[in-house]
Amino acid sequence: MNIKKMPNGKYRFREKYRDTDGSWHEVSVTMKSKTLESQREALNLIERKIKEKTKKREIKEKKIESITVIEVSNQSSKKRKMELAPSSFYQESCFLNVFLKTFGKKKIRDIKARDIQDYIVLNSKSIKTMHALKRGINSIFKYAYVAEYIESNPIDRLDLPKDTRTKESVTKLKQKFFTLDEFNLLIKQMRFDASNDETHRKIDLIEFLFWTGLRIGEALALNWSDVDLLNGRISITKSWDTKRRRLGNVKTIDSIREIDVNSHCLNIVQNFKKYNSEFIFVTEKKKQINYIGLSQFLKYEGAKTQLFGKNPDYFSLHMLRHSHITYLVNKGVPEKMIMERVGHKDPRMMMGVYTHILPENRVTLRQALDSSTSWGQNFNNQKIPKKSPKIIEYNEI
């Protein structure tokens, strides 16, 4: 036991002890003197403190050993809710609720990688679903690892198939955008079929999404203070949760942005002023335009338009965002400007998913190839020099 006199004249008694995990700790008490009686009293107090700390440690270890998956999930969900957009958090929660029905009451230390591997493979309809499940489950086990409930994360040992492109998925991806000509045909069909003002306003919103690249939630969250009609700019700072029908955060921090819009979009916005609502894209009853109804309307009109090579079953409102990005890329707009406009931070994702070769670019490519071919055909007509240039031999260097 170490004894040290303090500036105030009292004495500090210190003692080290080894914990159950092998780590060393120190406890101390302060006494008025260092007489034998004080030393005995200090020793008793120190021993009592060590017992209390050891007991607390044992209780904590037992709690850690017995903590269940659902208990950790409840803790990690608070952090996860702050990380994800409301719609993404809701979707992930649906996945995890099913997972917790099987594993929720089990001790998290008892869950093995093979248990999770088998669950994901058996409960997924596609490779994409497998990886979505893995991300959600990993949020629980990563939290448990950081909190020292488990010594290693079993998710790190999973061996899931890679998300390779099948012929069907590639075909579907190619149909996930409209060329400008296709979109104009679709809008023409919609306007022809529209029988009332509210239907025209739905079409206005579809055009607005195509020409701005906004997510549907971002558009439905716009209010009049977000629009600068004079300078042709809109500000995106929030998103409408279409499932819970309330305002929420945008998808990522990069989604908070200001963008320029053309005069057509400003005219579209003006069309909604007569509804006298806080929000822009609303119905006559001053409620946000229904997301599901608008998506079904797009599929229905797409089927009537019969665009060549396009399956209307694949049509979605997010397809308009794909189309906007593809249009800008093929117009030669710099990648950085496009990413800022649509709220993306990963250029690999944008270039890999959202860009396609448009028909007009194929014509340009074909012309370039034809030009090179015609040069080859006329090669025989070229004048060949009488003397070939001197060839420098290796030993001349």
Side-chain angles (χ1 to χ4, degrees), residues 202-219:
K202 286 182 179 179
I203 301 168
D204 281 345
L205 176 52
I206 288 172
E207 286 200 72
F208 186 85
L209 293 173
F210 178 88
W211 286 112
T212 60
L214 264 65
R215 302 175 179 93
I216 181 61
E218 294 171 343

Side-chain angles (χ1 to χ4, degrees), residues 36-129:
L36 290 175
E37 186 178 350
S38 294
Q39 290 183 38
R40 282 195 295 269
E41 186 180 353
L43 184 61
N44 289 332
L45 289 172
I46 286 174
E47 288 179 351
R48 193 184 307 166
K49 275 191 173 184
I50 292 174
K51 285 181 181 179
E52 288 175 356
K53 287 182 176 291
T54 304
K55 189 175 181 181
K56 284 182 180 179
R57 175 80 180 183
E58 289 174 353
I59 293 172
K60 187 178 179 181
E61 286 181 350
K62 285 182 180 179
K63 187 178 179 181
I64 289 174
E65 288 176 1
S66 61
I67 196 166
T68 61
V69 176
I70 196 167
E71 286 175 324
V72 180
S73 177
N74 291 336
Q75 294 175 21
S76 65
S77 65
K78 295 176 183 177
K79 174 178 175 288
R80 200 64 174 157
K81 192 172 185 178
M82 292 186 284
E83 294 175 336
L84 300 176
S87 56
S88 300
F89 178 75
Y90 174 81
Q91 187 177 31
E92 186 173 279
S93 297
C94 292
F95 279 139
L96 291 180
N97 286 339
V98 179
F99 171 76
L100 292 173
K101 286 180 180 178
T102 304
F103 293 94
K105 294 181 180 180
K106 294 182 179 180
K107 295 178 183 178
I108 198 161
R109 287 193 168 190
D110 294 341
I111 307 298
K112 306 299 181 184
R114 60 176 176 269
D115 301 324
I116 303 171
Q117 173 97 8
D118 292 344
Y119 173 84
I120 291 176
V121 172
L122 293 173
N123 289 274
S124 302
K125 293 182 179 179
S126 66
I127 296 174
K128 186 177 180 180
T129 306

Side-chain angles (χ1 to χ4, degrees), residues 170-183:
V170 171
T171 303
K172 185 176 179 180
L173 183 62
K174 286 181 178 179
Q175 297 188 64
K176 277 289 187 179
F177 77 101
F178 297 111
T179 65
L180 184 57
D181 288 340
E182 289 171 340
F183 184 70

Side-chain angles (χ1 to χ4, degrees), residues 247-259:
L247 279 177
N249 296 325
V250 288
K251 189 172 184 180
T252 65
I253 191 68
D254 298 279
S255 299
I256 299 174
R257 61 201 189 277
E258 284 189 357
I259 67 168

